[in-house]
Structure formats: C-alpha cells, structure tokens
Amino acid sequence: MSFDTLGLSAGTLQAVTEAGYTQPTPIQEKAIPVILSGRDLIGIAQTGTGKTAAFTLPMIDKLASGRAKARMPRTLILEPTRELAMQVSESFEKYGKYQKLSMALLIGGMSYENQEMKIDRGVDVLIATPGRLLDHFERGKLLLTQVTTLIVDEADRMLDMGFIPDVERICKLLPFTRQTLFFSATMAPEITRLTNQFLSNPERIEVSKPATAASTIAQTVIKTPRQDWAKRDLLRHLIRTQTITNGIVFCNRKTDVATLHRSLVKHGFSAGCLHGDMSQPDRLKTLDAFKSGQLQILVASDVAARGLDIPSVSHVFNFDAPVNAEDYVHRIGRTGRAGREGSAFMLVSPEDERRLSAIEKLIGRTIDVVSPEGYAFPTPQ
Ligand code: AMP
C-alpha cells in the first residue's frame, strides 16, 4: 500500500515523502479516506501508531479550499497537554509546508496577546488545550461559529486529567453540522458517552486492541525490595549495562521524579526531569535537550507519558508500577514506536505487586520476571 492511493493532494504527498514515510501506517491507511469523505470518526489508537499524521494530512487538504476569516478558525484540535499541542503544531507545519495555511497554538504558559493577535488575523487551524481555549472564548476574542472540523485527540488522557467537562462545553459551542474526529487509546464508558452525544454515525477504526502494547517492545519485570534506594541502585545498574540510546524513567510521584533525578545527576548520569509542576520554559528546555541527545535519561511523571514524539527512545523504565494499569501501556508506548524495537523494564517491589497483577490482567498476559545477571542488591549501611 502506498500513500498515493489515499486521495491526498500532490503537495501533501510531497511533504510526506520528504518526511521519509514510504508507506502509510494502518491507522493512516484506514482513517485518511474516511476523513477526506467528511464522515465522523472514532479512532482507537495509541501513540506511536502514526495517528497524528492520520488526521493532520487529510485536514490540511480539506482546508486547502476556502479561507479563514478574522477570529473565526475553521478547524479546532484539542490536546490534553501543552507538549502534545506543540507536537501536533510541528506536524502541521511539517506536513502542510506546501499549503498556505495559518495556525495558532493556544496553550498555557504563553502570552495571551500573541495568541490573540494570531486569532484576530484569522487562522485555519487552532491547536489548543481545553482550558486555554475556553479562556480565550470567555475573553470574547474568539468566535467558534465557523469551525467545520473538531478533532479531540487523546480523549482518554483528557478524561484522566479531568478535562471532559471542558471538552463537553466546547463541543456545545461549535456549529451542529461539523465533522468530528475522536482519538483515544482506550474507550472508557465516559468517552463512549461523549462520542454518542457529539458524533454522528461515526466510522470506528481500531488499529490495535485497546490496551495492548506494540509487539516490538520487550517487556521485563525485575522484583526489588521495598526501599527506593534499592530501586535506584538497580536502575543505575540497568542504565550502565543495557545498550541505551536514550531512556525515560517513569515514577508515580512527583517527589520521586525530583529525588531520582537528583540522584542520577549526582552519580554522573546525563539526566533531566519532566513533570507537571515545572514551568513551561523549563519543560521545553528539558524536552529539547532530550530530543537532541544532550540528555540520555529523562525522569518523568505520567503527565509526560502520553504523546511525546520522541521516535528513538530505546528504553522505558518503570520505577514503580503505575497506579492506573492503562498508564503502563502509555508509558511503554514511548519505545518500540513505528515498528522499532524497544525495551521496557518495570521495577516491582512488594508494594507494586497488586498493581502488576492489574496490568497483567489488562494486557492479557504475564510479563517475564528476570534477575539481572551478576547483580545483587546492596545491603544498607
Ligand atoms: P504518532 O502516533 O502520531 O505519535 O506518531 C508516531 C511516530 O511515527 C512519529 O515519530 C511519526 O513521525 C512517525 N510516523 C508517522 N507516520 C509514519 C509513516 N507512515 N511511516 C513512518 N513513520 C511514521
């Protein structure tokens, strides 16, 4: 299957070729013709499946006809986090380089004035987090009456973050006749309720079973004592002995992110940290350093777990078993992307056992337990 048969324009196909993609991924193959036809869509796909291009490419072509009026965007893309919104805007620029489309990114941590200036001039695409979008709407600077396409991305993440009421409010502010595309890795009842309410006769596309991890990820559990210092020692051993290009270490608690980060730096590792309490400039700086390879290890909380577009993460380490079993799938989805191989380790102390069982139940298999060769946990002094 090639991209040529999907109905995309020559300019968009050229941008796809320049991005280095030779074949559409399954979600792209299935979703692009549906989106071009104007139908509503529920896309059940995790990150790493190519879903961003699956909605961005046809959206760019649909927008090529027509022009934006001042303060009246034509397409609205809702993202749960600023990082995701920024990544989608980067994709939009990459794939839309041969079309003259305008875009505004409405995310927190940036000035309202610049965002308002762009809206005032008229934009084809608004990429926004729900809170910031509603802020702009309430300031009276934004009219949503010309929105013909709404894309809700990572709906399950929106649910986790408590954004569903905002999404619901936004849906009600948009014209009744519009195309709505809904993407989610899993379909919780709350999300199904939303799609029943706001989508009309949607096509449902599912590219891999909900809550299954990519098959290219080698998943391993290592049993550890309860103490964090033991986990930190083991983690250092793993980082030293595995062939790691770059890796993300996920912790359940923000305080653990900070402690672990400090400890890794103290032991001479090239590590940065990312969690929800950091300022936007700090997050961006860390993320850029990680993307460019300046930092080898990123210690992160689950806020950072979804949608980060870092194609070549070789390893994911779960410092603990995530509280929500579904977060495990999202965490390890940072590796093994687009068919590449990846490794995911989970450090499981007696405290984590119950959560490990929930994860294994969700993914429908047991995860191999290994003891790292030649390693023994240190005894406390
Ligand atoms: P996403 O699921 O949207 O986060 O995309 C995951 C990764 O796959 C991104 O790094 C994309 O650049 C990459 N990607 C998207 N479409 C393709 C494709 N057709 N061929 C190869 N890589 C792709």
Side-chain angles (χ1 to χ4, degrees):
M1 179 82 176
S2 89
F3 272 101
D4 300 355
T5 54
L6 298 179
L8 294 168
S9 72
T12 301
L13 287 175
Q14 179 64 24
V16 165
T17 306
E18 286 170 26
Y21 308 156
T22 48
Q23 278 191 346
T25 64
I27 183 107
Q28 291 162 4
E29 191 181 315
K30 291 180 188 152
I32 291 172
V34 174
I35 298 173
L36 286 173
S37 79
R39 273 192 74 175
D40 283 1
L41 172 81
I42 299 174
I44 304 167
Q46 48 190 100
T47 51
T49 51
K51 72 177 165 58
T52 312
F55 65 76
T56 314
L57 295 170
M59 178 192 79
I60 288 168
D61 279 353
K62 285 175 71 99
L63 287 168
S65 58
R67 286 193 60 206
K69 295 187 199 126
R71 292 205 219 159
M72 296 181 185
R74 299 197 288 152
T75 291
L76 174 60
I77 303 177
L78 293 178
E79 295 289 338
T81 65
R82 316 172 208 188
E83 282 80 11
L84 271 166
M86 291 178 59
Q87 276 163 27
V88 172
S89 77
E90 282 163 21
S91 295
F92 176 78
E93 273 166 1
K94 180 161 80 175
Y95 305 135
K97 63 200 253 195
Y98 294 108
Q99 331 272 2
K100 284 196 187 64
L101 297 174
S102 56
M103 172 199 70
L105 188 58
L106 307 188
I107 54 178
M110 308 261 181
S111 91
Y112 280 91
E113 287 67 31
N114 282 346
Q115 297 176 352
E116 272 170 12
M117 250 161 55
K118 284 198 173 162
I119 297 172
D120 268 352
R121 266 186 254 140
V123 289
D124 297 298
V125 183
L126 264 191
I127 303 171
T129 48
R132 188 46 85 103
L133 182 94
L134 285 170
D135 284 351
H136 276 284
F137 184 79
E138 274 153 17
R139 287 160 79 110
K141 304 288 181 180
L142 181 62
L143 297 169
L144 294 171
T145 48
Q146 296 294 315
V147 173
T148 50
T149 309
L150 167 69
I151 299 162
V152 180
D153 194 18
E154 306 256 338
D156 46 352
R157 186 74 186 148
M158 303 263 194
L159 179 65
D160 291 348
M161 297 176 78
F163 291 165
I164 294 297
D166 282 352
V167 173
E168 228 170 316
R169 241 192 94 196
I170 293 166
C171 284
K172 288 179 183 156
L173 295 171
L174 301 180
F176 187 67
T177 50
R178 55 155 203 268
Q179 184 178 24
T180 306
L181 316 174
F182 230 86
F183 290 88
S184 193
T186 51
M187 290 298 283
E190 187 65 5
I191 295 173
T192 305
R193 182 185 68 80
L194 219 62
T195 56
N196 287 344
Q197 194 181 351
F198 293 111
L199 274 69
S200 141
N201 187 25
E203 176 90 25
R204 189 183 162 103
I205 295 176
E206 189 166 346
V207 288
S208 63
K209 280 197 347 236
T212 52
S215 56
T216 51
I217 305 173
Q219 301 174 57
T220 310
V221 158
I222 303 177
K223 300 286 177 100
T224 75
R226 192 178 295 272
Q227 294 82 358
D228 277 359
W229 56 259
K231 285 189 170 186
R232 287 199 293 272
D233 189 78
L234 170 62
L235 183 70
R236 290 196 293 275
H237 170 80
L238 290 173
I239 298 174
R240 287 190 185 116
T241 51
Q242 297 286 313
T243 318
I244 294 178
T245 315
N246 54 0
I248 306 183
V249 187
F250 285 106
C251 301
N252 288 354
R253 288 175 293 264
K254 272 181 280 195
T255 48
D256 288 346
V257 171
T259 312
L260 181 59
H261 172 233
R262 271 199 308 274
S263 155
L264 285 172
V265 171
K266 205 178 84 196
H267 281 87
F269 291 93
S270 153
C273 68
L274 200 68
H275 58 73
D277 279 355
M278 286 163 67
S279 74
Q280 180 70 349
D282 282 350
R283 287 199 213 191
L284 294 181
K285 228 166 76 189
T286 307
L287 202 55
D288 280 349
F290 186 62
K291 278 187 180 173
S292 67
Q294 273 166 269
L295 288 174
Q296 186 197 20
I297 304 289
L298 189 65
V299 187
S301 65
D302 282 295
V303 169
R306 293 188 199 190
L308 286 191
D309 184 17
I310 307 162
S312 58
V313 173
S314 65
H315 288 70
V316 166
F317 300 95
N318 291 281
F319 192 72
D320 31 33
V323 176
N324 297 316
E326 286 182 0
D327 278 337
Y328 174 75
V329 180
H330 291 286
R331 287 180 177 191
I332 71 167
R334 307 299 94 220
T335 185
R337 305 187 94 186
R340 292 187 190 89
E341 308 233 317
S343 302
F345 289 90
M346 181 155 51
L347 312 192
V348 176
S349 75
E351 264 190 327
D352 293 303
E353 286 290 349
R354 205 174 28 87
R355 299 196 288 260
L356 171 63
S357 306
I359 290 165
E360 292 186 325
K361 196 167 156 223
L362 179 80
I363 63 175
R365 51 166 280 206
T366 53
I367 306 172
D368 292 343
V369 179
V370 299
S371 313
E373 227 173 283
Y375 174 81
F377 286 104
T379 41
Q381 273 85 42

